[in-house]
Amino acid sequence: MKVMAGPPDGMRSDSIYVRRFWVAAIGPGAVADLLRTIRAGQRKRTVTYPIYLHVLVQSGLAAYDGTKVTVPNPVPLLPPHLVRRLPPPMRREHALWMRLRNQS
């Protein structure tokens, strides 16, 4: 496992944002795999092949070269196409998060 530098405007892996919005977008199993992989990379340890690796790769949260998994830390913000897939109340909540974040 390897942790690569994530986007400077990303969220810490322990942020409620990750659990709230990424879980809604890609599911709790995929997010658990992401967080487990980030932790393993930070500790220079390996984890077994993440079950939801295909979801992480498809959503841009991991890269796999056939031998190692690379994940970003901090975790990127949800891309617009995944925000659009959220239910309307959650899209509004996400927009509020982004407004508040941009004000600070």
Side-chain angles (χ1 to χ4, degrees), residues 10-20 35 97 101:
M11 295 288 190
R12 291 173 39 130
S13 59
D14 61 355
S15 167
I16 189 70
Y17 178 95
V18 173
R19 286 184 171 79
R20 179 83 175 130
L35 299 178
W97 268 77
R101 180 183 168 107

Side-chain angles (χ1 to χ4, degrees), residues 10-104:
M11 295 288 190
R12 291 173 39 130
S13 59
D14 61 355
S15 167
I16 189 70
Y17 178 95
V18 173
R19 286 184 171 79
R20 179 83 175 130
F21 297 109
W22 275 108
V23 166
I26 64 172
V31 172
D33 276 354
L34 171 68
L35 299 178
R36 190 172 23 261
T37 305
I38 288 172
R39 252 187 323 278
Q42 290 170 330
R43 296 177 179 164
K44 308 284 190 248
R45 297 200 173 138
T46 60
V47 294
T48 56
Y49 184 87
I51 295 170
Y52 294 94
L53 180 60
H54 65 289
V55 175
L56 296 175
V57 169
Q58 185 179 31
S59 60
L61 291 176
Y64 181 62
D65 68 4
T67 59
K68 79 175 169 248
V69 176
T70 305
V71 291
N73 193 25
V75 178
L77 299 172
L78 243 71
H81 75 278
L82 289 180
V83 172
R84 286 190 297 272
R85 289 178 41 192
L86 297 173
M90 192 165 271
R91 280 197 308 265
R92 288 190 293 274
E93 183 182 349
H94 187 270
L96 178 60
W97 268 77
M98 294 300 96
R99 276 194 304 276
L100 294 174
R101 180 183 168 107
N102 291 334
Q103 289 176 1
S104 8

